[in-house]
Amino acid sequence: QVQLVESGGGLVQAGGSLRLSCAASGRYFNNYAMGWFRQAPEKEREIVAKINWSGGSTYYGDSVKGRFIISRDNAKNTVYLQMNSLKPEDTAVYYCAALNSYQIARGTYWGQGTQVTVSS
């Protein structure tokens, strides 16, 4: 069992930056690939980024490639999402998830979400 708590969301102007954190408790965090997802109003949830257990492999959705960076600190049981050059279309609730596998990237455990709002 892994419990996940996101933090770092908020209101930011377009062009600004935010860093989201996802703190995990429970055993075996290091065994999991981790992902960040987001869901905007009236839209389906989409994957933003994912990272394998060691941090050696990452993937980004096309809409955030070159602007967002996912990382993890296994010693601190935490995964991060650095979001730069934010756009109004990045506005959404952001969720972190422990994934069933890096390749399939289906969430096994989910956080409660954190709101990110980007004003124009």
Side-chain angles (χ1 to χ4, degrees), residues 37-112:
F37 296 76
R38 69 185 182 187
Q39 187 165 21
E42 301 182 335
K43 291 189 176 181
E44 293 189 356
R45 185 163 53 192
E46 63 173 345
I47 187 166
V48 175
K50 62 181 178 179
I51 188 167
N52 75 335
W53 70 272
S54 69
S57 294
T58 57
Y59 162 88
Y60 297 93
D62 288 341
S63 61
V64 306
K65 203 172 296 183
R67 300 187 296 122
F68 290 11
I69 300 171
I70 189 172
S71 61
R72 67 189 296 162
D73 185 337
N74 286 342
K76 295 182 178 180
N77 280 13
T78 302
V79 63
Y80 304 97
L81 185 68
Q82 177 67 43
M83 305 187 295
N84 301 318
S85 301
L86 283 160
K87 304 175 181 180
E89 50 264 44
D90 294 318
T91 295
V93 178
Y94 284 71
Y95 300 90
C96 75
L99 306 177
N100 64 334
S101 72
Y102 178 75
Q103 290 79 9
I104 297 174
R106 183 172 297 137
T108 300
Y109 301 105
W110 292 88
Q112 82 288 351

